[in-house]
Amino acid sequence: MNKRREELSKGILSSTNDMLSCLLAIRDENGQPLEDDLITDNFIFLFIASYDTSATLITMMIWKLSRDPDVYNKVLEEQMEILKQREGIEDRLTWREIQKMKYTWRVAQELMRMIPPAFGGFRKALKDTSYEGYDIPKGWTVYWASCGTHMDKDIFENPQEFDPSRFENQSKPIPPFSYLPFGAGVHKCIGNEFARVETLTTIHNFVKMYEWSQLNPEETITRQPMPYPSLGLPIKIKQRCSNMS
Ligand code: HEM
C-alpha cells in the first residue's frame, strides 16, 4: 500500500489507474485520506462482490449446460446464429451481438433465481417499523434472503422447476423487490450490467470453441457460502470441430 502511495505522490500512477489507487486517492469532506483499515475493507469487499459472484455464475452456467442437453442445445443454437449472422471480417463480439443473447441470459437469470450467488443481505431499520406482524425497532439489523420470494409459488409458478421462459414476455410480471439476485433499492449491485456482459461473453467463447462433459455427472451444488460445485466441477474438454472460427 505504501509503495502505491509513493507512486501516486510522484505522479507515476494516477487515481484512475486501478481500484487501489482510487481508494488511496479519495479524500473525505475534511480533505483527509481514508484509513488503511477502511481501504483494506473496501478492497476485499469489492474483490468478493465483483469477482467471486461472477465466477460463481459462470461456473453454474457451465455446470447447467453440461447436464441439460435441451438448455445446452438452445444456448449453442443462439450463439452459433450470432456467428452466422456476423458480417465482415470482425472476429470479436460486438455490443449488438451481446444484446441478441436473450435465451442465454434467461438461463443465467433462472439459475440465479434457483441458486442465487449471494443469498441475501443486511439492512438496518432507520426508524421503528413493522412487517407482517413483526415489530422491527429502529437500529435493528435484519437479513433479507432471496429464497423467500424466489421460491414462492405465488410469485414464480412451480418454483422447483428450471424454466428460463419465465423471464420471457411475462404475462404475470414479477412484483418489485421479489427477484433479487442483485439485491434492490439504493444499495442494489452496481456491477449487474458488467456481470451480464462478462457472463455472456465467456459463455459465448466457451461454447464456440469447446465441447465438454462433466467427469462427475451426479455432481451437485453446495454452498461455501457462495454456490460451489461439490467436487470442483472437473470437466473433459476438447476443441470444437466446426467450420466456424
Ligand atoms: C453475477 C454477479 C453478481 C451478483 C450475483 C451480485 C450480487 C450483489 C448483491 C446481492 C448485492 C447486494 C445488493 C443489496 O444489498 O441490495 C451486491 C452489491 C454490490 N455489488 Fe454485486 N453482484 C455481482 C457482480 C458484481 C460486479 C461485477 C461488481 C463490480 C464490478 C459488483 C459490485 C457490487 C458493489 C460495489 C455492491 C455494493 C453496492 C452498495 O452497497 O451500494 N457486483 N451485488
Side-chain angles (χ1 to χ4, degrees):
M1 223 188 277
N2 283 340
K3 184 167 175 274
R4 186 66 56 92
R5 226 176 238 127
E6 210 179 293
E7 288 169 339
L8 277 168
S9 68
K10 285 186 184 156
I12 301 171
L13 287 177
S14 84
S15 63
T16 55
N17 222 77
D18 54 59
M19 193 60 216
L20 184 57
S21 305
C22 173
L23 288 167
L24 286 166
I26 287 176
R27 296 290 175 267
D28 67 12
E29 54 277 17
N30 304 315
Q32 294 302 309
L34 303 182
E35 283 182 16
D36 282 4
D37 278 359
L38 199 56
I39 293 179
T40 311
D41 191 40
N42 272 289
F43 194 78
I44 293 172
F45 170 81
L46 197 68
F47 215 83
I48 295 168
S50 63
Y51 182 82
D52 290 16
T53 47
S54 310
T56 296
L57 177 57
I58 292 167
T59 306
M60 289 198 304
M61 287 289 279
I62 292 172
W63 172 79
K64 182 67 186 168
L65 296 181
S66 318
R67 54 201 290 121
D68 192 328
D70 185 41
V71 171
Y72 171 74
N73 286 330
K74 286 187 189 152
V75 166
L76 183 64
E77 197 184 323
E78 181 172 80
Q79 299 303 334
M80 289 308 186
E81 193 52 38
I82 286 168
L83 291 177
K84 253 193 240 162
Q85 285 178 11
R86 185 174 285 171
E87 284 166 8
I89 50 155
E90 183 63 70
D91 191 29
R92 275 182 304 183
L93 270 180
T94 63
W95 181 249
R96 272 186 63 182
E97 287 173 340
I98 290 173
Q99 305 317 312
K100 287 185 193 165
M101 300 179 187
K102 298 206 183 314
Y103 178 76
T104 310
W105 184 241
R106 285 201 292 271
V107 172
Q109 285 180 298
E110 180 65 340
L111 266 174
M112 289 191 290
R113 180 186 69 78
M114 297 185 81
I115 318 174
F119 54 81
F122 292 101
R123 287 290 189 273
K124 191 171 173 179
L126 295 178
K127 54 180 190 193
D128 289 344
T129 183
S130 68
Y131 180 74
E132 298 213 336
Y134 291 93
D135 290 332
I136 305 168
K138 177 180 170 180
W140 275 37
T141 300
V142 291
Y143 189 82
W144 59 265
S146 42
C147 58
T149 45
H150 287 195
M151 300 313 270
D152 181 337
K153 63 177 173 22
D154 294 332
I155 300 172
F156 297 100
E157 221 169 280
N158 300 325
Q160 300 292 348
E161 201 177 293
F162 187 87
D163 178 10
S165 77
R166 56 174 100 241
F167 292 97
E168 183 187 0
N169 305 326
Q170 291 124 344
S171 52
K172 193 177 146 202
I174 302 166
F177 297 91
S178 301
Y179 179 62
L180 304 165
F182 295 108
V186 286
H187 282 286
K188 186 177 171 173
C189 178
I190 55 164
N192 59 350
E193 246 323 270
F194 183 75
R196 187 177 72 91
V197 172
E198 217 180 353
T199 305
L200 292 175
T201 307
T202 309
I203 296 301
H204 170 82
N205 285 304
F206 202 70
V207 299
K208 174 179 111 173
M209 290 160 67
Y210 305 112
E211 285 171 343
W212 75 97
S213 61
Q214 254 180 300
L215 279 188
N216 307 296
E218 302 307 316
E219 184 169 7
T220 53
I221 299 287
T222 170
R223 278 209 178 259
Q224 300 195 346
M226 280 199 200
Y228 197 82
S230 54
L231 301 167
L233 196 63
I235 53 172
K236 227 192 288 178
I237 186 164
K238 63 172 188 181
Q239 196 94 29
R240 175 175 291 285
C241 302
S242 160
N243 51 10
M244 275 183 227
S245 58

